[in-house]
Amino acid sequence: MHGTLVRPAPAAPVHASRPNRIVPVAVVGATGYAGGELVRILARHPFVRIVGLVGRGASGEPLEGRQPHLAGAGLAIESEVPSEAEAVFIALPHGAAVETASALVDAGTTVVDLGADFRLHDPADYPTWYGFDHPRSDLLARAIYGLPELHRAELSELPGSDGPAVIASPGCYPTATILALAPLARAGLIADVVIDAKSGVSGAGRDPKPDLTFSEVNESVKAYGVGGHRHVAEMEQELDLVGGRDLGPLEFVPHLVPMTRGILATCHVRTTRTVEQPELDALYADAYAGEPFVRVVDAPPATKHVLASNEARVHIRALPRTGRLIAIGVVDNLVKGAAGQAIQAFNLAFGLPETSGLDGLPVAP
Amino acid sequence: MHGTLVRPAPAAPVHASRPNRIVPVAVVGATGYAGGELVRILARHPFVRIVGLVGRGASGEPLEGRQPHLAGAGLAIESEVPSEAEAVFIALPHGAAVETASALVDAGTTVVDLGADFRLHDPADYPTWYGFDHPRSDLLARAIYGLPELHRAELSELPGSDGPAVIASPGCYPTATILALAPLARAGLIADVVIDAKSGVSGAGRDPKPDLTFSEVNESVKAYGVGGHRHVAEMEQELDLVGGRDLGPLEFVPHLVPMTRGILATCHVRTTRTVEQPELDALYADAYAGEPFVRVVDAPPATKHVLASNEARVHIRALPRTGRLIAIGVVDNLVKGAAGQAIQAFNLAFGLPETSGLDGLPVAP
Amino acid sequence: MHGTLVRPAPAAPVHASRPNRIVPVAVVGATGYAGGELVRILARHPFVRIVGLVGRGASGEPLEGRQPHLAGAGLAIESEVPSEAEAVFIALPHGAAVETASALVDAGTTVVDLGADFRLHDPADYPTWYGFDHPRSDLLARAIYGLPELHRAELSELPGSDGPAVIASPGCYPTATILALAPLARAGLIADVVIDAKSGVSGAGRDPKPDLTFSEVNESVKAYGVGGHRHVAEMEQELDLVGGRDLGPLEFVPHLVPMTRGILATCHVRTTRTVEQPELDALYADAYAGEPFVRVVDAPPATKHVLASNEARVHIRALPRTGRLIAIGVVDNLVKGAAGQAIQAFNLAFGLPETSGLDGLPVAP
Amino acid sequence: MHGTLVRPAPAAPVHASRPNRIVPVAVVGATGYAGGELVRILARHPFVRIVGLVGRGASGEPLEGRQPHLAGAGLAIESEVPSEAEAVFIALPHGAAVETASALVDAGTTVVDLGADFRLHDPADYPTWYGFDHPRSDLLARAIYGLPELHRAELSELPGSDGPAVIASPGCYPTATILALAPLARAGLIADVVIDAKSGVSGAGRDPKPDLTFSEVNESVKAYGVGGHRHVAEMEQELDLVGGRDLGPLEFVPHLVPMTRGILATCHVRTTRTVEQPELDALYADAYAGEPFVRVVDAPPATKHVLASNEARVHIRALPRTGRLIAIGVVDNLVKGAAGQAIQAFNLAFGLPETSGLDGLPVAP
């Protein structure tokens, strides 16, 4: 018998010996979208003090020059990470974080990387999916995939006896997809799955590109990355891990939708045996009981239901007409799909209450 | 050997004996969205004269009271279809067209119904999918499913020796889906298919509903009709027909996307045998050679590429990593997915050049 | 000489004798948009306990049935305001709050009304602007217009010796407009002003109306209420008050813009004398020094800069070419323009720190 | 006494001696947004043959590589304007057209410039507003401001005895504004005017810029160009001309709205004398009687009412409460505000029916 997929949220901080304190943190990449969300949340986090922001722009330039909405934070961009930072969040394009992160970890600082540079455990995956040879397979071995619903125990034991290490915060698509499918994978129910995902535009980052202008995106939807989006690698790694077997290559097709935020992953599943709705309901209720940020819902969720919050919503439905299941996961790509999730993992690693700084309700309409 | 899926667009009108003339037509449901598109196109159709519009509002009320953008048409709403109309387009909610259409056909008028009331040939499907017993199985037997790419010959022989009949214009989702999949179905290549579709909001019609307000739809995407959307019935009917065998129940999940117009159907296909890209390219090129409104494209199409036009775009791609295919179809749900397609079928039925009134290029950005 | 427009934000709670405590509050109209925002903020307010929600739906129905995004609040709709509530927020259409509010006030409860029913001091204005005779001119006399930047002292003395009373929370357009113009009005600089405002759709409320569907609003902008929008009455009342003279009827034309949230008021001013930028800068800096929620900015602000926050941004600019000034104010219509502002005023009235529950930074992109 | 503002649309082509024929034309800047609209319309123009497209990209590259929606036109980009072109439309950023246009005119070709390089008659305005010295004041003197509603006679006499010349097609803001105000200006009724305009994003062109990405523009509105937008120069030139007197510097503040197309100009007018609604109605009806593309409407128009068409809508309203007038003009910035208007002027210049190629009804919803 299998028990729960994940451990319930601990009633008390794991590191009982460490009372809540103010952790000095820094953000690298603070002028991007994920970086802005990190600042937005960390600036109001009760147990954190932001001691440094690194990003585009001259040292000393007010952050609001690049992030006008964050003027109220009263922060400025610096050229270097201050040494007092005990944890550093890095929000850079893939490939750009390896060097900075490695230096920080070597110097004894905990790194939470929001990019892909430490998500894949197998060094051989980097040339395949990201086009570069990873120089630090030692760090890949020590990195924790920062999805608390799957790896809470490992995250809670950071920093361990072997010193500080790297939290590799999951991608936005993998977060929505893995949360939707993990209970099925763990129960060995997935025979075959098609993942058809829809994303808002902010997931593509802040750099202006010809196909990301308002005029091109508005009133239009399209598929992209059809041949194989990089995020599929971490989906396969984690779903194989939770299920204890190789599901084979996953079909994953993302779509660009005319909205700024939000990811919805629609997972069309053929099961290994007949399964009916009550069993599914129990499976998912059990899997996510006690999870502070995953809500199993009876109706297909809209991305707007989780906007600007760290909440994920998951919906599971047996389709008697076709014999398939549909599993849907939604997150705000910049919060549970990026900055919020990184802070959730950081909270665990530093023995802080897991929901610290993350208890804001979604913003709608 | 298979030949082409459809006949090439005829170089000359089929009814060579009938020179182009001005056909008097009427529109029922002219105050809705599909009805508005009918008027927009028909008012500039070179071989048509609009002799009557029926819709909400008092008889004699200018159309622009309900359709402000159509003021330039200079038309008014009437309470009845004038008898001089040789063809009547009906754009009403499902179930509402049966009576009006039947009376018109019985009186010798050709009906083009944009709703679902005559799309399914088997009367038994109506209680199952639409919740009513169809009173005119005789008309169902005579109705032609108005997708010219599959039924051009039958449409071109209307009105035949047995008098005028009904053209059942396809739904928006089925148009995008069937056009994407028909070449595969005909070639016997579909072992299994998941259809994941994305639609703009205008497909839900004009009536204000709580979940269709701007504030609810904007910045959000969600699945709906998960248990079984009605449009799947006509997809199954037509794909089984073109393939000559029962594909079984199709998995079809539509999504509501924050845009006004456009449908994109992403079809994830497992094939009956290994098939590579060159064979697919040839299959689709052959299938749609000569089609005036279907364009096979090399890159995943965006709905904006066909906005406000009668064009459909189809993309086919072998995915070597997973062994699947992906077939994508896009249309403007109100044009090739509704009004434009109805007029295309009407053109065929009345021996007019098939593209009459429909040659406008898409509007972008 | 004039000194500051408003008193600086108090360093300590005004009612030093009342330590911060947990105030039991209720919300009437919790199923609308402003009501949802009240719940979103109050559920995380450190000094508040929500003891009752009244709205559409059966008593005991979970709030999430009507406000899916608020599932995390774990609240239900009730049929009556519980007597333990010390403050009741009312978010109902104009005219609908008078009776409920009156009964509550008569029973000794403090009411914060987000509608217009107590905003105008002169009873004669109600038949003119709102089409009904106000039955409680005694309450109009005691009601405080809840714009803390103008009426902080009066709000801070609530509830006073004459018992609890009514806070009339300002409308969204007036908030943006008055904050943009108050320093000029107080300095006697306004000779003539044209207020051209732009609003997101949520300001029109939650009821579905034909012209508020996504398909109608998207990709369109239009003026409305051209003849005289009701909000002009409170603008005139407050600007005349702050300036100490009658500015005469104000020109105010609102526009509906395809976005969900946000108000931008562009105020085109002719001045009573020549005034240059440095004087304006000093005037505004002085006026809003110490204000926790008003930020004077050097560049024209975007509504997105304040999204989902209680912040207002104000921009003042001399236009040498034409000799005019332009003053721009932006707020999130549902926060500083509704729920947030109501809570700010409540905080003052109950001696709580003014920013309690309202310190979230804006959400962008 | 004044008669009509403009001459009614001529019942027959002005150049009766030149029967309709096929005019060979070329487009420079065909890969931008205005250029795309030129191609969309010209490709279906009954009296035009496109003989050349110049734009970004290698010579011979299919246009659809840059304008995917125009695949149906079957055209390619060339590196040079073919000499057979009798008219060349130029859609380039300001400053970039002078040289090309001059060479073409000198060679005897008629140029329709959609940019600003020939709109201002006074060479001294170019350094002031556009930052360069205009090298061809001789061409400025011969250029016709291509607003047919004001300059139909001059356009109809092109090409005249002094050889081909330049049509300077108006800017998008000026088109909406001048059409809204011209009847008032001509009648001498404008004492003072504030022009507050709202634009979709496509008006900013196709180049990706940081503040034009979807994520930045969506859910936001802001003012820009507050200090003095360049378009005000042509508004002043034309309104002074039509009114026969100097109105002085105009207050004009544009705003960026989250939509792709559409311009709405709200003009707040103080009049030189009291004027009531019936006089205004007569004034506008008279001014635009017979105009094929200007519609005077009784309710405030939405930009969606003219989307994708060459129609302009104008609304005039006396506001008794304030004693002002409000005049509103809407156009599609890429059609009547750019490509459509250029073609309308070209039609006049070449003796073609004025509405040729431009009779499509607006597209809504």
Side-chain angles (χ1 to χ4, degrees), chain A residues 129 192-199 214-228 232 236 249-253 255 257-264 266-270 300-305 307 315 317 319 321-322 324-326 328 330 365, chain B residues 129 192-199 214-228 232 236 249-253 255 257-264 266-270 300-305 307 315 317 319 321-322 324-326 328 330 365:
Chain A
W129 289 101
D192 182 53
V193 60
V194 166
I195 304 156
D196 188 295
K198 297 90 186 165
S199 175
F214 185 87
S215 298
E216 294 298 314
V217 171
N218 191 38
E219 274 293 289
S220 200
V221 59
K222 67 173 177 184
Y224 71 101
V226 170
V232 80
E236 292 174 355
L250 295 177
E251 165 100 341
F252 168 64
V253 178
H255 296 75
V257 165
M259 60 187 190
T260 302
R261 292 176 175 234
I263 292 250
L264 184 143
T266 311
C267 308
H268 306 264
V269 182
R270 276 212 179 283
T303 57
K304 183 168 268 192
H305 296 167
L307 197 76
H315 173 69
R317 178 89 165 267
L319 305 176
R321 209 182 74 87
T322 63
R324 292 182 197 260
L325 307 182
I326 191 166
I328 298 176
V330 299
Chain B
W129 288 101
D192 183 52
V193 61
V194 165
I195 304 156
D196 188 295
K198 297 87 185 166
S199 175
F214 185 87
S215 297
E216 295 297 314
V217 170
N218 191 38
E219 274 292 287
S220 200
V221 60
K222 66 174 179 181
Y224 70 100
V226 170
V232 80
E236 292 174 355
L250 295 176
E251 165 99 342
F252 168 65
V253 177
H255 297 74
V257 165
M259 61 187 190
T260 303
R261 289 176 177 234
I263 292 250
L264 184 143
T266 311
C267 307
H268 306 264
V269 181
R270 277 213 179 281
T303 56
K304 182 168 268 192
H305 296 166
L307 197 74
H315 174 70
R317 179 87 166 269
L319 305 176
R321 209 182 76 87
T322 63
R324 292 181 197 262
L325 307 182
I326 192 166
I328 297 176
V330 300

Side-chain angles (χ1 to χ4, degrees), chain C residues 192 196 198 215 218-221 236 250-251 255 259-260 266 268 270 303-304 319 321-322 324, chain D residues 192 196 198 215 218-221 236 250-251 255 259-260 266 268 270 303-304 319 321-322 324:
Chain C
D192 183 52
D196 188 295
K198 297 86 185 168
S215 297
N218 192 37
E219 275 292 287
S220 200
V221 59
E236 292 174 354
L250 295 176
E251 165 99 341
H255 296 75
M259 61 187 191
T260 302
T266 311
H268 307 262
R270 276 212 179 282
T303 56
K304 183 170 267 193
L319 305 176
R321 210 183 75 87
T322 62
R324 292 182 197 259
Chain D
D192 182 54
D196 188 295
K198 297 88 187 168
S215 297
N218 192 37
E219 275 292 288
S220 201
V221 60
E236 292 174 355
L250 294 177
E251 164 99 341
H255 296 75
M259 61 185 191
T260 302
T266 311
H268 306 263
R270 277 212 180 281
T303 57
K304 183 168 267 192
L319 304 177
R321 209 183 75 87
T322 63
R324 290 181 197 262

Side-chain angles (χ1 to χ4, degrees), chain B residues 10-59:
Chain B
V14 169
H15 299 269
S17 60
R18 288 188 297 168
N20 293 341
R21 57 188 177 98
I22 304 302
V23 182
V25 305
V27 174
V28 177
T31 51
Y33 285 153
E37 283 293 275
L38 284 166
V39 174
R40 178 175 74 85
I41 300 169
L42 291 170
R44 295 294 181 259
H45 191 296
F47 306 122
V48 151
R49 184 165 52 94
I50 299 177
V51 297
L53 300 180
V54 176
R56 296 186 183 175
S59 187

Side-chain angles (χ1 to χ4, degrees), chain D residues 135-222:
Chain D
R136 292 293 298 264
S137 55
D138 64 317
L139 288 182
L140 291 184
R142 290 166 63 201
I144 309 296
Y145 190 76
L147 190 66
E149 291 78 7
L150 293 190
H151 300 285
R152 183 171 286 112
E154 298 145 85
L155 291 165
S156 300
E157 277 151 25
L158 265 179
S161 55
D162 54 348
V166 182
I167 298 171
S169 203
C172 48
Y173 285 122
T175 298
T177 302
I178 295 168
L179 291 176
L181 290 175
L184 295 177
R186 182 171 183 116
L189 284 169
I190 301 177
D192 182 54
V193 61
V194 165
I195 303 157
D196 188 295
K198 297 88 187 168
S199 175
V201 184
S202 63
R206 188 161 197 168
D207 281 339
K209 293 170 194 156
D211 61 344
L212 298 182
T213 62
F214 185 88
S215 297
E216 295 297 316
V217 170
N218 192 37
E219 275 292 288
S220 201
V221 60
K222 67 173 178 183

